[in-house]
Amino acid sequence: ICQAHIDAVNAGLSRHERVRAFHIVPQPFSEATGELTPTRKVRRPVVLARYAATLESLYASDPAEASRSPRGL
């Protein structure tokens, strides 16, 4: 279902705007798990640390993007 929706959205986007890879996390980010602040902002260092292997694999799955780093998220 998600892939079909992404394909439909990607059809109307330029090549550099398209979603090439994605990962659905097992549970939503929350303040209780430390991924969100009390004002619902993402705590990027926490998310990057928790999902480091997943993020690295997403960037490594596309050889053209292998030199990019998820650190700028």
Side-chain angles (χ1 to χ4, degrees), residues 15-39:
R15 182 175 167 92
H16 70 278
E17 296 175 309
R18 293 181 185 158
V19 174
R20 296 182 186 161
F22 65 94
H23 175 81
I24 299 173
V25 296
Q27 55 192 353
F29 294 168
S30 73
E31 186 179 348
T33 59
E35 295 149 337
L36 297 177
T37 68
T39 58

Side-chain angles (χ1 to χ4, degrees), residues 2 6 20 26-27 37 40-42 44 47 57 61 73:
C2 292
I6 289 172
R20 296 182 186 161
Q27 55 192 353
T37 68
R40 314 276 303 154
K41 296 176 188 163
V42 175
R44 295 181 193 284
V47 172
S57 71
S61 67
L73 295 176

Side-chain angles (χ1 to χ4, degrees), residues 44 48 59 69-73:
R44 295 181 193 284
L48 286 172
Y59 280 84
S69 170
R71 304 291 179 234
L73 295 176

